[in-house]
Amino acid sequence: MDELAGAVVVTVRLGVRDASGERWAGETVEHVYWFGEDGPVRRMEVREGSGSRAELRSVSRSSGG
């Protein structure tokens, strides 16, 4: 079974600039959302890079009950 079945994947460009506006750092990550039957987000992950097989970056977050 595909781990992303039923998920919504959003590509996000993150950027950090210094006080003068010069680019200091930047990367692309994916936010992956799984929704419950009644609508609210059931689970969310942030993954490095782009593409549906990107490496997991942070701990999955699940809403309680």
Side-chain angles (χ1 to χ4, degrees):
M1 178 178 237
D2 185 359
E3 70 175 278
L4 296 177
V8 174
V9 181
V10 179
T11 302
V12 179
R13 288 180 48 194
L14 302 176
V16 178
R17 296 185 181 272
D18 64 19
S20 68
E22 293 295 315
R23 185 177 174 142
W24 184 64
E27 68 178 311
T28 300
V29 298
E30 291 181 335
H31 291 185
V32 185
Y33 299 94
W34 288 265
F35 293 89
E37 289 181 20
D38 56 350
V41 173
R42 178 174 50 86
R43 179 175 158 200
M44 184 264 188
E45 294 179 2
V46 178
R47 297 176 178 222
E48 287 185 353
S50 60
S52 61
R53 301 291 178 216
E55 181 180 336
L56 180 63
R57 177 180 176 177
S58 67
V59 177
S60 299
R61 298 160 203 248
S62 300
S63 61

